[in-house]
């Protein structure tokens, strides 16, 4: 015979269910339930022919009420439904629904399978696919897993061994039986303590156990974790699951961990526990779920303790984190390298900016391309230019300038430079008159790299004539050259004309 308290509780649950279905279901659920938990809950629902349609309907309604208060999502609670029949049927997996609207609608669409009560095969599917961690659609690693088995208790089968394997793998097992048979078998399969995880109830009174079963699930998947996020050199963000439902407050204490200390008793101005430096204390209201720690020291390990303060007793949460090291401002110790005063055997290299307070010295490495020997020149930290000498004419060099910082770091820049081609001047030019307005030219040539000769002469009234001759021709005759006209011959090389000689006719 049920007690008055049980009947009163049943009436309360029924009224609550009616009220929630009339409007937004979760509006009246306390925050302490909405955000309390993080874990995966698999419902194993007896959908065989031994369960009357009337009983199955009440089981589904019971599940809708049981799961309604939980917040669903990838960082909160996930729910799966596996039906037991002749062949097990996965109605939906953990990652199918992330909102109560979707879950409630899916439960409402659930149809009974009928057939035999093949619980063993359903448990094998649950273990190998649904509750297995690290597989697609399976349970999340490092989070609690719960199996809630709803059965009429009729012919459960040889479930002891598969249930034992699930418990060994960390799955918490809770059982609700609407019959009164096989008590010993069901007591053996649930996770201890059996008095909190095994429920026998008539189908018409099943809502009586909603709160107790929900609380049992919450105790298993309650997310008692203090997370530290967005850590910088001087700040850190704390996040936690709210458990005070707007009442009371959160006491937060944090301080640096001292190295080389163990044991001892906390005192005023020192963080609770030992090995901790002077601590700071802040508080947050009961509806808060985050706090920002400021004025921290860079590259320092901190321990933080969060304690919910209310009429009820809650466990303190702890976390340890290290702030980021202070980053020195980035200074462009070497940003430009320029080349000037290029000659046949030397070139001036300059660089900047000049930062003697940051730079220990400069080093120049250079070699002729493609495979010339490497040469190195060291330069003072107060010098930003130097002349590289002893270079080969008409040659391309690769020059690397490196700035050595006091910290040991280096910054380098590389440029290509070219030396000038050797341009020998014309060494001799003779001019002989051979007739009216005709002259014959002779010169000495045949230099390395010579491409030809460029001849120019005046023709009067500011007119000028030009003639290009091949490198093997060392003489020519010019006609129509006026008296006192100026005649010039210049050697031509690959990159420019060399210095020539001129005569007057």
């Amino acid at each position: 015979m049920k007690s008055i308290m049980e009947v009163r509780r049943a009436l309360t649950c029924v009224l609550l269910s009616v009220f929630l279905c009339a409007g937004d279901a979760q509006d009246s659920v306390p925050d302490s339930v909405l955000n309390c938990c993080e874990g995966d809950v698999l419902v194993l629902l007896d959908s065989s022919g031994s369960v009357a349609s009337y009983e199955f309907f009440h089981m589904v309604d019971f599940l809708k009420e049981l799961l309604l208060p939980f917040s669903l999502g990838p960082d909160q609670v996930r729910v799966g439904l596996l039906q037991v029949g002749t062949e097990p049927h996965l109605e939906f997996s953990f990652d199918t629904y992330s909102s109560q609207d979707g879950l409630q609608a899916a439960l409402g669409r659930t149809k009974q399978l009928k057939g035999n009560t093949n619980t063993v095969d359903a448990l094998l599917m649950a273990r190998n696919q649904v509750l297995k961690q690290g597989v697609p659609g399976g349970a999340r690693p490092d989070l609690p897993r719960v199996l809630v088995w709803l059965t009429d208790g009729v012919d459960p089968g040889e479930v002891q061994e598969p249930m034992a394997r699930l418990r060994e793998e960390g799955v918490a097992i809770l059982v609700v039986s609407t019959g009164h048979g096989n008590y010993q078998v069901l007591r053996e399969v649930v996770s201890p303590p059996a008095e909190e995880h095994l429920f026998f109830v008539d189908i018409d009174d099943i809502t009586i156990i909603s709160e107790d079963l929900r609380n049992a699930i919450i105790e298993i998947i309650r997310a008692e974790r203090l997370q530290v996020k967005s850590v910088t050199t001087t700040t850190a963000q704390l996040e936690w699951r709210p458990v005070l439902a707007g009442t009371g407050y959160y006491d937060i204490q944090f301080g640096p961990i001292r190295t080389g200390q163990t044991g001892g008793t906390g005192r005023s101005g020192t963080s609770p526990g030992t090995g901790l430096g002077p601590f700071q204390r802040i508080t947050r209201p009961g509806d808060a779920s985050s706090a920002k720690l400021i004025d921290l020291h860079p590259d320092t390990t901190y321990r933080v303790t969060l304690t919910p303060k209310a009429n009820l007793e809650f466990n303190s949460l702890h976390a340890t984190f290290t702030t980021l090291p202070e980053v020195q401002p980035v200074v462009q110790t070497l940003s430009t390298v320029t080349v000037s005063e290029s000659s046949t055997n030397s070139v001036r290299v300059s660089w900047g900016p000049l930062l003697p307070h940051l730079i220990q010295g400069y080093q120049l490495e250079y070699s002729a391309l493609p495979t010339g020997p490497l040469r190195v020149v060291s330069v003072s930290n107060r010098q930003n230019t130097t002349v590289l000498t002893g270079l080969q004419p008409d040659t391309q060099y690769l020059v690397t300038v490196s700035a050595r910082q006091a910290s040991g770091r280096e910054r380098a820049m590389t440029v290509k430079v070219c030396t000038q081609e050797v341009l020998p001047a014309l060494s001799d030019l003779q001019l002989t008159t051979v007739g009216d307005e005709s002259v014959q030219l002779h010169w000495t040539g045949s230099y390395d790299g010579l491409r030809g000769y460029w001849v120019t002469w005046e023709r009067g009234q500011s007119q000028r004539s030009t003639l290009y001759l091949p490198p093997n021709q060392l003489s020519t005759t010019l006609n129509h050259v006026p008296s006192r006209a100026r005649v010039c011959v210049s050697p031509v090389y690959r990159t420019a004309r060399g210095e020539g000689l001129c005569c007057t006719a």
Side-chain angles (χ1 to χ4, degrees), residues 327-331 333 358-361 402-412:
V327 179
Q328 297 294 332
V330 177
V331 179
T333 55
L358 294 178
I359 301 301
Q360 286 186 329
S402 300
R404 301 189 305 274
Q405 301 181 38
S407 63
R409 298 176 61 185
E410 281 194 3
R411 178 171 173 81

Side-chain angles (χ1 to χ4, degrees), residues 240-492:
W240 63 88
R241 301 282 187 186
V243 296
L244 296 180
T247 63
Y249 65 96
Y250 295 97
D251 180 80
I252 302 171
Q253 300 182 42
F254 59 98
I257 296 179
R258 291 174 176 168
T259 59
Q261 293 190 1
T262 57
T265 304
R267 57 182 179 178
S268 177
T270 302
S271 241
T274 60
L276 304 180
F279 71 90
Q280 301 179 57
R281 170 179 281 139
I282 60 175
T283 60
R284 288 294 179 267
D287 58 354
S289 60
S290 65
K292 187 173 185 178
L293 308 183
I294 61 174
D295 297 330
L296 306 178
H297 298 295
D299 198 18
T300 303
T301 300
Y302 282 83
R303 180 173 174 81
V304 58
T305 299
L306 181 141
T307 305
K309 299 289 188 179
N311 295 330
L312 298 177
E313 184 176 348
F314 293 92
N315 294 329
S316 295
L317 305 180
H318 306 278
T320 301
F321 66 94
T322 301
T323 52
L324 298 179
E326 192 169 15
V327 179
Q328 297 294 332
V330 177
V331 179
Q332 289 289 353
T333 55
L334 188 64
S335 59
T336 60
V337 176
T338 59
V339 178
S340 61
E341 302 177 19
S342 175
S343 69
T344 57
N345 59 3
S346 66
V347 66
R348 178 175 291 278
V349 180
S350 305
W351 56 88
L354 189 61
L355 301 170
H357 62 291
L358 294 178
I359 301 301
Q360 286 186 329
Y362 297 96
Q363 182 173 280
L364 282 75
E365 299 176 344
Y366 59 100
S367 63
L369 294 176
T371 58
L374 181 66
R375 299 167 67 181
V376 180
V377 174
S378 295
V379 180
S380 164
N381 63 343
R382 297 187 177 275
Q383 184 176 338
N384 67 342
T385 184
T386 190
V387 176
L388 304 181
T389 60
L391 308 181
Q392 299 174 13
D394 193 21
T395 303
Q396 189 177 54
Y397 282 82
L398 193 67
V399 181
T400 299
V401 181
S402 300
R404 301 189 305 274
Q405 301 181 38
S407 63
R409 298 176 61 185
E410 281 194 3
R411 178 171 173 81
M413 295 186 68
T414 300
V415 294
K416 289 182 179 179
V417 302
C418 293
T419 53
Q420 297 294 321
E421 184 180 14
V422 176
L423 305 176
L426 198 69
S427 61
D428 180 49
L429 174 63
Q430 297 179 5
L431 184 148
T432 304
T433 301
V434 295
D436 292 340
E437 297 185 343
S438 296
V439 296
Q440 190 174 46
L441 302 176
H442 295 270
W443 59 88
T444 303
S446 186
Y447 305 105
D448 290 339
L450 185 68
R451 299 295 178 93
Y453 296 96
W454 193 258
V455 181
T456 62
W457 69 96
E458 298 171 350
R459 299 190 63 177
Q461 298 181 353
S462 301
Q463 293 182 357
R464 183 180 292 272
S465 295
T466 61
L467 177 66
Y468 180 76
L469 299 176
N472 59 349
Q473 187 171 340
L474 301 179
S475 66
T476 187
T477 300
L478 303 179
N479 299 316
H480 309 294
V481 178
S483 176
R484 304 185 64 83
R486 191 171 178 79
V487 180
C488 299
V489 179
S490 300
V492 178

Side-chain angles (χ1 to χ4, degrees), residues 18-173:
V18 172
F19 173 78
L20 291 175
C21 292
D24 186 352
Q26 287 189 291
D27 284 349
S28 60
V29 180
D31 287 342
S32 60
V33 177
L34 281 174
N35 298 292
C36 69
C37 305
E38 188 176 16
D40 295 326
V41 179
L42 177 64
V43 177
L44 188 65
L45 178 61
D46 192 344
S47 185
S48 64
S50 65
V51 178
S53 299
Y54 169 80
E55 292 179 303
F56 185 81
F57 175 81
H58 275 277
M59 285 183 176
V60 171
D61 271 0
F62 169 71
L63 286 176
K64 294 170 69 175
E65 177 188 344
L66 174 72
L67 300 172
L68 180 62
F70 292 105
S71 291
L72 307 182
D75 296 323
Q76 295 179 315
V77 178
R78 302 193 308 173
V79 177
L81 177 60
L82 179 60
Q83 293 202 74
V84 178
T86 303
E87 296 291 336
H89 174 68
L90 183 61
E91 194 70 23
F92 52 83
S93 60
F94 290 133
D95 54 4
T96 305
Y97 298 107
S98 57
S99 70
Q100 277 292 343
D101 290 341
L103 176 63
Q104 295 292 320
L107 290 172
R109 294 191 300 267
T110 303
K111 303 298 182 182
Q112 188 174 4
L113 300 179
K114 300 294 186 178
N116 298 328
T117 310
N118 192 354
T119 310
V120 174
D121 281 356
L123 288 173
L124 291 176
M125 176 183 286
R127 177 172 177 261
N128 295 327
Q129 298 181 29
V130 189
L131 290 169
K132 189 171 184 178
Q133 295 174 322
V135 299
R140 292 168 289 184
D142 303 322
L143 289 179
R145 296 167 292 167
V146 180
L147 175 67
V148 180
W149 181 20
L150 268 69
T151 177
D152 62 356
V154 176
D155 191 19
E158 301 296 327
V159 296
Q160 292 93 328
E161 183 178 347
M163 287 289 195
R165 289 182 178 177
L166 286 172
R167 292 196 308 272
E168 291 171 359
E169 294 170 0
V171 178
I173 298 174

